[in-house]
Amino acid sequence: MKKIIMIMVMMLSLVVTSFGADRSLEDVKKKGYFTVGLDATFAPMGYRDENGEIVGFDIDLAKEVANRMGVEAKFRPCEWDAIIFDLRSKNIDMVWNGMTITPAREKQVLFTKAYLSNNQIIFSRKDSGTMATADLAGKVVGVQLGSSGAQAVEDSSIKSEIKELKKYATNVEALMDLEAGRLDAVVMDEVSGKYYNQKKSTLNYSVENLAEEGYGVALRKQDKTLTDEIEQKLDEMRADGTFDKIKEKWLGK
């Protein structure tokens, strides 16, 4: 009787282990694609070009990783403030869109190691001069809802002295309001803000950083095998020079 009970316990243990196993990589390869969630206004990481096609630095990285995995990369625009909910609800397989690795987010998702460094800086109009953090006192400041720029302002010593903090669905909306004079400053990613300003040159930006950070690909906590596979492919791309070619294409030398 004892032997029978032991066998039943072992069989039950195997069943539980099987159901709890991480099949994330296996599932992606079986269906033949993975779905990337993104804010499709976040140039140059991921955005729509003049033809409506989603392009960008992260887009090219994701496509190359998918190609090396033998699958396809599909892209689904999401509201940034709800993108982690979309990930955890399995509407998407990952967030690959210049997402800053933060302790708060690490409690909710599994990140790859950082693949690109970035800073949160202050953008202002040319006629306002270059602003430092102290200059935000008494000003109307814009940030993207749910962004690391918004968090950088919340964590800053100047937060209580800001006249008003306005939150936008996208950084582009905030920058347009800045140019129109409805904001005094915008705090956002250096990479994206400088890219936006390349053609127009209507804005100044701070030398001082409100926060230094790294971008990572975010996946569900349990999707360890898929996360490891993406990291491995990115490492291969760094080693053979593909990563640097894509980086230079979008970010320059």
Side-chain angles (χ1 to χ4, degrees):
M1 180 62 71
K2 287 182 179 179
K3 288 183 179 179
I4 293 173
I5 292 172
M6 287 178 66
I7 291 170
M8 290 178 65
V9 169
M10 289 174 65
M11 289 178 65
L12 180 61
S13 176
L14 287 171
V15 170
V16 170
T17 301
S18 176
F19 276 103
D22 173 13
R23 297 171 52 88
S24 55
L25 178 57
E26 183 182 342
D27 288 345
V28 162
K29 290 194 172 183
K30 185 176 180 180
K31 68 183 180 181
Y33 66 91
F34 57 69
T35 303
V36 175
L38 75 156
D39 165 11
T41 68
F42 194 52
M45 310 309 286
Y47 66 103
R48 292 192 185 276
D49 64 12
E50 59 273 11
N51 299 315
E53 182 181 354
I54 295 177
V55 298
F57 175 59
D58 282 336
I59 306 306
D60 283 358
L61 287 182
K63 285 180 176 179
E64 180 63 23
V65 165
N67 182 59
R68 294 181 184 221
M69 288 172 58
V71 299
E72 181 186 358
K74 297 186 177 183
F75 302 93
R76 177 175 294 177
C78 304
E79 291 293 330
W80 189 252
D81 192 42
I83 204 163
I84 290 179
F85 174 82
D86 283 324
L87 174 63
R88 297 176 72 178
S89 300
K90 299 190 176 182
N91 297 325
I92 54 177
D93 295 310
M94 65 195 72
V95 181
W96 199 333
N97 190 216
M99 175 170 267
T100 300
I101 301 170
T102 68
R105 286 173 176 162
E106 285 181 312
K107 292 178 182 177
Q108 302 179 73
V109 302
L110 178 63
F111 277 106
T112 62
K113 61 187 177 185
Y115 62 89
L116 190 71
S117 59
N118 179 60
N119 300 304
Q120 293 299 322
I121 62 175
I122 304 165
F123 289 85
S124 54
R125 289 185 305 282
K126 288 280 188 181
D127 59 10
S128 301
T130 302
M131 290 189 179
T133 304
D135 297 320
L136 297 179
K139 302 293 195 302
V140 180
V141 179
V143 293
Q144 183 182 28
L145 190 65
S147 69
S148 48
Q151 191 61 52
V153 174
E154 293 288 346
D155 294 342
S156 71
S157 57
I158 203 72
K159 169 63 170 59
S160 61
E161 298 179 50
I162 291 174
K163 180 180 180 181
E164 183 181 0
L165 185 63
K166 289 189 174 182
K167 297 182 179 181
Y168 295 80
T170 69
N171 282 309
V172 172
E173 291 174 79
L175 290 172
M176 289 175 67
D177 263 11
L178 174 61
E179 290 173 320
R182 289 185 283 271
L183 294 173
D184 298 309
V186 170
V187 176
M188 64 174 289
D189 297 65
E190 178 179 15
V191 170
S192 184
K194 286 184 177 180
Y195 188 86
Y196 176 92
N197 195 46
Q198 273 182 359
K199 294 180 181 178
K200 297 184 174 185
S201 296
T202 56
L203 303 174
N204 283 330
Y205 48 85
S206 63
V207 177
E208 178 189 4
N209 303 325
L210 269 76
E212 297 178 359
E213 57 194 31
Y215 289 155
V217 185
L219 297 97
R220 285 180 286 276
K221 280 281 192 180
Q222 65 270 27
D223 291 356
K224 184 71 166 55
T225 56
L226 181 55
T227 305
D228 289 345
E229 180 75 0
I230 291 170
E231 278 199 350
Q232 181 183 329
K233 298 309 180 190
L234 285 171
D235 285 343
E236 290 174 6
M237 289 161 62
R238 289 188 188 92
D240 64 25
T242 304
F243 186 95
D244 285 340
K245 286 180 181 177
I246 294 173
K247 183 178 178 182
E248 185 175 335
K249 172 185 173 182
W250 292 102
L251 306 177
K253 292 185 178 181

